[in-house]
Amino acid sequence: MIKTNYIEPSEGFSQAVITEANNIKTIYISGQIGTGANLEQQTIATFQNLQKQLIHCNATFKDVVKMTTYIVNFNPEVDLPIYRNIRKEFLGNENYPASTLVGVSILGKREWLIEIEAIAIVQ
């Protein structure tokens, strides 16, 4: 039997959904954003918010198996080094999760520059 737990549900979504079956917990974290004046500040805040959700679900970045990142008006030469450096601070230097990075024209609010969603598995 699969057990499901909805974390911080509000306004039509949950910050995270945890499913448990056969002593395996899968955590689906909704897209997290962060505040700040530029992409660097928002990326740091976004990773901090992801970390908060992982901790709330008794997980860490080492448990993350998949990340999807959306960056507004993505410029690979400028934005990718910023993103990679900050990601390395939170995830370390090895065993990165499967990842997708998508450049988009806009997110849920005009001031948001980055959004990251994640899937983690804990045994």
Side-chain angles (χ1 to χ4, degrees):
M1 177 174 203
I2 296 176
K3 178 183 169 191
T4 304
N5 187 12
Y6 299 88
I7 308 300
E8 298 180 34
S10 68
E11 300 186 44
F13 75 99
S14 296
Q15 288 294 331
V17 175
I18 302 170
T19 61
E20 293 183 63
N22 301 320
N23 295 322
I24 297 174
K25 178 168 64 172
T26 304
I27 305 162
Y28 302 89
I29 300 175
S30 290
Q32 300 294 301
I33 55 94
T35 58
N38 56 41
L39 180 63
E40 181 177 13
Q41 291 173 357
Q42 287 193 24
T43 302
I44 292 167
T46 298
F47 272 100
Q48 290 170 337
N49 288 335
L50 273 171
Q51 188 170 45
K52 174 188 165 198
Q53 291 303 320
L54 287 164
I55 290 168
H56 190 226
C57 297
N58 296 314
T60 70
F61 279 111
K62 293 188 183 304
D63 300 310
V64 174
V65 296
K66 174 71 169 104
M67 291 176 61
T68 304
T69 302
Y70 305 92
I71 297 178
V72 174
N73 299 323
F74 181 65
N75 177 339
E77 292 77 27
V78 175
D79 300 336
L80 195 54
I82 292 168
Y83 173 75
R84 283 182 173 164
N85 287 333
I86 295 166
R87 180 183 64 181
K88 187 181 290 185
E89 289 178 29
F90 285 88
L91 274 67
N93 292 320
E94 56 186 26
N95 298 325
Y96 287 114
S99 296
T100 301
L101 191 154
V102 181
V104 297
S105 62
I106 192 169
L107 293 167
K109 289 190 176 180
R110 292 201 181 276
E111 61 267 23
W112 296 347
L113 301 176
I114 185 169
E115 184 170 356
I116 304 173
E117 60 186 25
I119 300 170
I121 296 177
V122 178
Q123 291 183 307

